[in-house]
Amino acid sequence: MDAETALDDAYFDYCPWDFVGRASAGQRAAQDAHQRRLAESGARLGARCYVSAAAGVFTDTLRLGTDSYIAGHAYVTGEVTAGDDCTVNPYATVRGRITLGDGVRIGAHSSLLGFNHGFAPDRPVHRQPLTSKGITVGDDVWIGSHVVVLDGVTIGDHCVVGAGAVVTKDLAPWTIAAGNPARPLRDRRAQGGPRRDRPASGDLPGGLPGDLSGNRPGHPSDDLGDAVARFADRARAQAADLVARCWNPDTGRYADRPGAPATVRAHCDAVEIADLLLGSPPEQFAADEHAARLRALQDPGSGLVPEFAPDGGAGVLPAPAADGWIDDGTAEYHVLAVGYALDLLGSRLAQPVHVVRRMTVGQLLARLESLPWRTRTWSAGAWVDCWATGAHRNLELGVEDGEPGTLEALFGWLTTRVDPWTGMWGTAGSPAAGRLQLVNGYYRLTRGSYAQFGLDVPYAERVVDTVLAHGRDQRWFAAGRENACNVLDVAHPLWLAGRRGGHRAAEVRAWAEEQLTRALGRWRDGAGFGFGPAGEGGGGPGREPGLQGTEMWLAIVWLLADLVGVADRLAYRPRGVHRPEPARSPGFATPG
């Protein structure tokens, strides 16, 4: 072998993607022979793959898709399956049960460890049994250099993991994460948004080093970011106990707070809080038992979920209206609460939401026209939220509507009825009544429709104008007068309508900073957040800390922190009812 060939061989150990285009005939023959040896051990390699002879490949199972590579000095063992266009870079370690999607890049010196040692005190570590839950990595994922991914982790599609991160928990699709332990920093798709001081990840050398908090040296949000991080650590340390205080072992159910009656929503709030802060289900049951209990609550005739009866038994729904709908506001909200709690538990509703499935286009349009848009806009928006969420759940189950086109009819009706002056639905309000009903109804309506289905809201700048005007109303937003519903119903529209532009960004940020500072001070150690003073009509559970207040304020804190630019310091991101991302890809298609 001459010096030039030797140099070329070493080059391909470190740049395997160039092998197909630059290798000599002799090098191709040597690679073919190497792959035949691997195949004799059970490996299955796609077209145009390259596996460096300098890599330590000692697998029980190896599957590589087309155009995938293992570079020199990588260490690959166990059961490894990779899709097309995957690269294991030099000195990376891939061990255990590992599944990679298409287009995965594993940086140099990174380790995917799909197994674990026991460390019980009854025997030496080297004699402890091994366990393996496995690691799953989705499509289009970039794992930077010196990253460690631990056993049991799933990294969703389109994620980016910054250099040096230690990934101990699942990452949702599109997450950009970094740190030890790895924390979600932002959504990869959110390149615009109100955080103008934060650079796009592509502008950062090496992908994600440096400060991604959105803060500038000396900027006021530096201190607020520190306060946010301290709050999150405090809440996380107390999460299990504050959920446990609301669990009644005698009834086997959750209540919003000690001494309150058991409710369906309390169980769902407990699941959301535990997922948000602990990344696991509440410790009272395993995930499948939580899911089984929630799935069993669904009424087989309507697909709605009634509240427990006063004696704690099964709830009863009222008789249906002429169009088949059952008017029960609590059961309507449970379509949201139970459905999203089941998502977090890795499950789904047991059956379709039949009252949505059976509704014809004509019945839907008649119901929309009859809703109290002028007097109780919140109630009208809440109905749209329930109906659209039921449609989402039915699509998720692969169930067609009773009459094709009902979901399209909903969005058509909304698009033609929105007020271009306010960007909202319903009466614009008056000096005496204010904009409370208008804005709160807007949140409920858009949460279930535009936000849930990933569609842009109409007249986004007018929405920001309307919401900011409402947010200055001291009847609802003076210190001590805020409740979770009212603050959420401003924070979410500002986030939703403002994330693709900078309309009045400084005012939005100032409002969010003020509300975030106040919100952090409401936490009660060992008990969480109280909902706050009763809203219009006496709604809400009040000031006493409980599960509903805690679940809502945790989501509000994230939204406010994201508007300020410090949400990364929380190291959590809502995934349930109050999630910022759509529940499904834009459009109405059933997932394949």
Side-chain angles (χ1 to χ4, degrees), residues 203-498:
D203 298 334
L204 297 167
L208 288 173
D211 176 21
L212 284 184
S213 67
N215 297 335
R216 299 177 297 278
H219 192 273
S221 62
D222 293 352
D223 293 337
L224 190 51
D226 291 341
V228 160
R230 290 193 298 271
F231 158 76
D233 289 342
R234 187 176 166 192
R236 199 170 288 111
Q238 300 175 25
D241 289 340
L242 72 85
V243 170
R245 75 187 276 270
C246 299
W247 164 253
N248 186 333
D250 295 331
T251 63
R253 287 175 173 164
Y254 294 90
D256 181 69
R257 56 201 178 279
T263 63
V264 174
R265 177 168 182 164
H267 193 163
C268 299
D269 288 336
V271 170
E272 294 229 17
I273 293 165
D275 178 83
L276 202 63
L277 295 177
L278 303 174
S280 63
E283 62 186 14
Q284 286 73 35
F285 302 111
D288 56 353
E289 177 63 17
H290 279 291
R293 287 175 172 241
L294 291 173
R295 283 164 57 88
L297 300 175
Q298 197 175 13
D299 174 60
S302 65
L304 297 177
V305 180
E307 186 55 274
F308 299 130
D311 62 1
V316 178
L317 292 167
D323 59 6
W325 190 262
I326 296 176
D327 290 298
D328 183 317
T330 301
E332 290 172 1
Y333 188 81
H334 290 163
V335 174
L336 283 61
V338 174
Y340 277 101
L342 288 171
D343 281 349
L344 300 179
L345 296 166
S347 185
R348 292 180 176 180
L349 291 174
Q351 58 186 308
V353 183
H354 297 299
V355 290
V356 172
R357 181 178 60 84
R358 296 170 184 150
M359 188 168 275
T360 67
V361 171
Q363 289 171 334
L364 171 63
L365 296 179
R367 170 69 69 151
L368 289 169
E369 292 288 351
S370 70
L371 294 174
W373 296 104
R374 292 186 175 277
T375 57
R376 291 184 292 117
T377 313
W378 185 90
S379 296
W383 189 90
V384 173
D385 192 359
C386 171
W387 193 95
T389 301
H392 158 58
R393 294 301 172 192
N394 291 348
L395 287 170
E396 183 179 61
L397 293 170
V399 176
E400 295 287 340
D401 293 332
E403 182 177 357
T406 51
L407 190 57
E408 290 82 353
L410 171 72
F411 282 96
W413 190 93
L414 293 174
T415 301
T416 57
R417 300 303 195 278
V418 64
D419 182 352
W421 293 102
T422 63
M424 300 191 175
W425 292 264
T427 303
S430 66
R435 300 174 178 84
L436 184 67
Q437 282 282 328
L438 181 71
V439 173
N440 289 14
Y442 178 88
Y443 163 68
R444 286 299 304 271
L445 182 152
T446 56
R447 194 222 70 85
S449 55
Y450 293 90
Q452 187 164 229
F453 284 85
L455 302 175
D456 291 343
V457 294
Y459 305 110
E461 291 189 355
R462 301 291 77 75
V463 171
V464 172
D465 293 340
T466 303
V467 172
L468 281 175
H470 171 58
R472 291 193 294 266
D473 193 327
Q474 295 300 293
R475 287 173 290 183
W476 319 113
F477 299 103
R481 294 187 180 181
E482 313 97 324
N483 67 38
C485 181
N486 293 343
V487 178
L488 172 66
D489 295 355
V490 170
H492 187 273
L494 290 178
W495 189 93
L496 182 67

